[in-house]
């Protein structure tokens, strides 16, 4: 980043190849939210769960996004919301990538009955509409953000398993793998040293794009009442409070824009990454 | 191609069984005791009531036994009895299905028509203002949470402008039209009830637009891409050289050929519509399967949750299968234009 700032003064500045508008723009939005999440406790205008003024105040100089049904400051609650959404999204994507890629790589490289078993699980899991599966899992584990996160891992891992398997299957056909096998490398060495390093770019692109989708689904589950419970300042939960009072538009405005900004940013970031990592797929 | 389609069709029953099994197991390996939601927390200390309820709902049997009984019942169309409504789940679902279908089909039509229009305009002005605006509009639609955009349009069009009615399927004072198809718009027309038709249509407009907006992006992106692809081909140049008007080239020569990849994406967008329907129905107090699923999940109503999950999974499976078959069977070079009407 400092590179950008220093060189923009010089008239000969040439943007580095990776610095496309979607990538930088999307990255900046995500980065800004991370900073907000890490520091908001020390500068938020009000406490997110305490009374901050009269109830149902429209936006004003004091409360930029107004107050909700309990007189809490909507702006502060929106800013605090990222402290719930981001850790969950990181957890869900992290677990889904680790589980999915491990199983997908095994399925693709080992093949045989193991491949069959793993992929049938993938097929069955992907046969559910994501939100219904997530709802069923959360309902059976009991409502709560943690259980919603587990439900989303269950929804998401098969996507990465399928992706990784396809990657491994295509990379193992290449000549350098054949050469490695011919020169006597062990199977695990071939997989780890010669195949996996070439498999990551679509995984990274997908994980980036899915980040926003996880934030969205987590908020949806909370909106339905299966995720965060009051008084947690979680975006979906806040919107569901706003839904009861939909003629008081400001209650849901902050969290809605927050979710939108993150989904858009992660889409742009993913698009930009794909163009950079794999120009042919664009 | 044929072998592929046959393989997919053969796999269907197994996938469906997998879906049923997973849905069943999910709700039976549960942290919360379903009895609590049947008889209420206060009665949980009363052993007689607990035992009676366990027997009545078959919860005293072993899990494999419950599973086999459930499968046997499913074959006869029996999804069990809802803990909450005390009605057969199948009946609850059937009563609510038309509302969801009416919403989803309208949303699909709106989203597709709008998506195609946007895609064509975007491709025509590639890189221009319209292109970028269309892409932004589509992107926002696909990214905004429907449960929030639904609130916004309700506020703007219903509260502020007063152009359209609020939540619900029909005016609160109006009587639902006599049941024929279960679609309020069609049924009120059949009954010759113009006021009812107007009310049903106006009530449908907002939720269908919000839901349709989510797939506009998918469709328009696909149309734009395939239009650009087609527009760069030589026969377009030939058509222009022969003096065909720009509109004719765009709609007759290019769009017809760009439509087929788009047809397949419409099946794919079904996934978005199901997800969106669950949330849209909640916002708009739409008495469909989506809002039923939500109240079932909230109320830990296990038979209802399993039922909805199975029905949703089956619908999802079938639409994915049709999409794949469409993709495999339709050869764009041979059958172009045969089914463009959609």
């Amino acid at each position: 980043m400092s590179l950008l700032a220093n060189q923009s003064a010089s008239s000969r500045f040439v943007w580095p190849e990776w610095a496309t508008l979607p990538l930088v723009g999307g990255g900046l939005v995500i980065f800004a939210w991370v900073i907000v999440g890490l520091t908001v406790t020390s500068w938020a205008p009000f406490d997110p769960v305490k009374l901050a003024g009269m109830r149902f105040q429209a936006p004003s100089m004091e409360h930029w996004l107004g107050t909700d049904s309990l007189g809490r400051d909507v702006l502060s609650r929106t800013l605090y919301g990222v402290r719930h959404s981001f850790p969950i999204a990181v957890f869900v994507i992290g677990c889904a990538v680790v589980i999915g890629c491990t199983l997908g790589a095994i399925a693709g490289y080992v093949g045989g009955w193991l491949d069959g078993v793993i992929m049938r699980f993938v097929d069955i899991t992907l046969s559910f509409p994501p939100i219904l599966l997530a709802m069923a899992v959360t309902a059976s584990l009991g409502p709560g953000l943690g259980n919603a996160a587990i439900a989303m891992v269950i929804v998401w891992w098969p996507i990465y398993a399928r992706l990784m398997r396809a990657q491994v299957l295509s990379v193992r056909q290449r000549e350098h793998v054949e050469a490695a096998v011919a020169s006597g490398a062990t199977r695990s060495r071939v997989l780890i040293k010669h195949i996996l390093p070439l498999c990551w770019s679509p995984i990274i692109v997908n994980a980036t794009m899915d980040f926003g989708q996880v934030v969205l689904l987590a908020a949806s589950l909370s909106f339905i009442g299966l995720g965060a419970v009051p008084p947690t300042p979680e975006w979906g939960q806040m919107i569901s409070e706003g839904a009861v009072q939909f003629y008081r538009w400001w209650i849901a405005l902050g969290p809605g824009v927050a979710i939108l900004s993150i989904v858009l940013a992660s889409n742009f970031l993913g698009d930009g990454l794909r163009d950079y990592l794999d120009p042919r797929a664009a | 191609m044929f072998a592929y389609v046959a393989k997919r069709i053969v796999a269907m029953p197994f996938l469906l069984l997998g879906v049923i099994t997973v849905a069943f197991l999910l709700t039976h390996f549960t942290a919360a005791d379903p009895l609590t939601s049947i008889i209420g927390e206060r009665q949980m200390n009363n052993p007689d009531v607990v035992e009676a309820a366990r027997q009545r709902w078959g919860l005293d049997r072993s899990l494999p036994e419950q599973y086999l009984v459930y499968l046997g019942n499913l074959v006869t169309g029996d999804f069990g009895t809802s803990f909450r409504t005390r009605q057969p789940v199948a009946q609850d679902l059937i009563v609510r299905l038309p509302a969801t279908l009416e919403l989803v089909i309208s949303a699909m039509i709106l989203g597709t028509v709008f998506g195609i229009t946007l895609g064509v305009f975007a491709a025509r002005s590639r890189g221009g203002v319209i292109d970028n605006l269309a892409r932004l509009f589509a992107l926002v639609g696909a990214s905004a949470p429907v449960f929030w955009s639904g609130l916004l349009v309700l506020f703007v069009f219903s509260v502020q402008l007063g152009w359209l009615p609020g939540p619900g399927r029909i005016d609160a004072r109006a009587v639902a039209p006599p049941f024929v198809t279960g679609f309020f718009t069609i049924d009120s027309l059949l009954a010759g009830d113009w006021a009812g038709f107007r009310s049903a249509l106006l009530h449908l407009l907002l939720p269908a637009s919000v839901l349709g907006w989510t797939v506009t992006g998918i469709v328009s992106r696909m149309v734009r891409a395939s239009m650009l692809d087609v527009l760069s081909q030589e026969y377009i140049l030939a058509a222009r050289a022969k003096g065909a008007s720009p509109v004719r080239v765009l709609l007759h020569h290019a769009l017809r050929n760009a439509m087929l990849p788009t047809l397949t994406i419409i099946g794919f967008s079904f996934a978005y519509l199901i997800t969106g329907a669950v949330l849209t129905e909640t916002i708009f107090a739409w008495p469909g399967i989506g809002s039923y699923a939500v109240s079932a999940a909230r109320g830990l109503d296990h038979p209802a949750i399993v039922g909805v999950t199975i029905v949703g999974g089956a619908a999802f499976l079938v639409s994915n299968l049709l999409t794949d078959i469409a993709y495999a069977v339709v050869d764009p070079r041979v059958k172009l234009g045969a089914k463009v009407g959609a």
Side-chain angles (χ1 to χ4, degrees), chain A:
Chain A
M1 280 301 124
S2 66
L3 237 161
L4 284 181
N6 289 339
Q7 295 201 356
S8 60
S10 113
S11 58
R12 290 241 204 109
F13 173 69
V14 179
W15 285 84
E17 199 191 338
W18 55 266
T20 52
L21 188 63
L23 204 146
V24 173
L28 279 179
V29 170
I30 300 283
F31 182 70
W33 274 115
V34 170
I35 297 297
V36 166
L38 292 175
T39 62
V40 68
T41 45
S42 53
W43 55 266
F46 294 94
D47 187 313
V49 291
K50 285 202 184 122
L51 188 102
M54 298 278 285
R55 345 187 286 142
F56 297 132
Q57 285 182 62
S60 63
M61 284 310 288
E62 197 189 354
H63 300 283
W64 289 4
L65 292 179
T67 61
D68 67 6
S69 60
L70 293 173
R72 296 169 299 194
D73 183 55
V74 176
L75 175 64
S76 304
R77 286 174 67 74
T78 305
L79 295 174
Y80 266 85
V82 74
R83 294 171 62 89
H84 295 279
S85 294
F86 269 38
I88 284 196
V90 170
F91 170 82
V92 170
I93 295 290
C95 291
V97 166
V98 170
I99 298 173
C101 288
T102 310
L103 291 175
I106 292 174
Y109 192 62
V110 179
W113 64 270
L114 201 56
D115 181 25
V117 171
I118 293 175
M119 293 323 284
R120 290 304 81 72
F121 268 105
V122 167
D123 288 343
I124 291 173
T125 316
L126 287 178
S127 303
F128 290 100
I131 195 166
L132 285 184
L133 182 60
M135 281 167 67
V137 176
T138 321
S140 102
L141 294 174
L145 264 186
N147 290 339
I150 295 174
M152 286 189 284
V153 174
I154 294 178
V155 168
W156 248 286
W157 74 267
I159 298 174
Y160 291 97
R162 199 171 259 190
L163 206 60
M164 192 58 165
R165 178 175 176 272
Q167 281 294 106
V168 168
L169 283 180
S170 104
V171 172
R172 69 182 288 186
Q173 308 284 337
R174 295 200 198 161
E175 282 168 359
H176 78 273
V177 176
E178 217 173 297
V181 173
S183 60
T186 60
R187 280 166 69 83
S188 55
R189 189 180 160 84
V190 170
L191 180 63
I192 293 166
K193 287 271 176 186
H194 299 278
I195 298 181
L196 288 188
L198 293 173
C199 294
W200 291 113
S201 41
I203 306 279
I204 293 171
V205 170
N206 251 272
T208 314
M209 289 188 160
D210 282 351
F211 186 84
Q213 294 302 317
V214 173
V215 168
L216 185 59
L217 186 58
S220 309
L221 290 173
S222 294
F223 170 78
I224 290 170
L226 293 173
V229 283
T232 317
E234 199 278 342
W235 294 329
Q237 159 68 29
M238 291 171 70
I239 295 177
S240 91
E241 281 168 29
V244 186
Q245 311 268 348
F246 66 82
Y247 45 93
R248 297 193 167 102
W249 52 273
W250 60 86
I251 298 179
L253 183 70
V257 172
I259 298 172
L260 180 62
S261 74
I262 288 165
V263 178
L264 281 178
S266 87
N267 261 330
F268 279 128
L269 194 58
D271 261 345
L273 274 178
R274 182 176 50 202
D275 291 349
Y276 176 65
L277 290 174
D278 190 6
R280 282 164 307 152

Side-chain angles (χ1 to χ4, degrees), chain B residues 114-176:
Chain B
F114 217 72
I116 292 174
T117 317
L118 274 185
V120 170
F121 275 110
R124 214 188 119 216
S125 72
R126 184 185 190 179
V129 182
I130 296 180
D131 185 17
N132 283 321
L133 279 181
R135 287 167 82 180
L136 184 71
F137 178 81
L139 199 58
V140 170
S143 308
V146 280
F147 50 95
W148 175 65
S149 45
L151 284 183
L152 282 191
V153 297
L154 263 182
F155 175 76
V156 172
F157 292 102
S158 180
V159 177
Q160 286 298 104
L161 300 173
W163 290 352
L164 291 166
R169 269 187 99 184
I170 197 162
D171 204 57
R173 284 157 300 177
V175 191

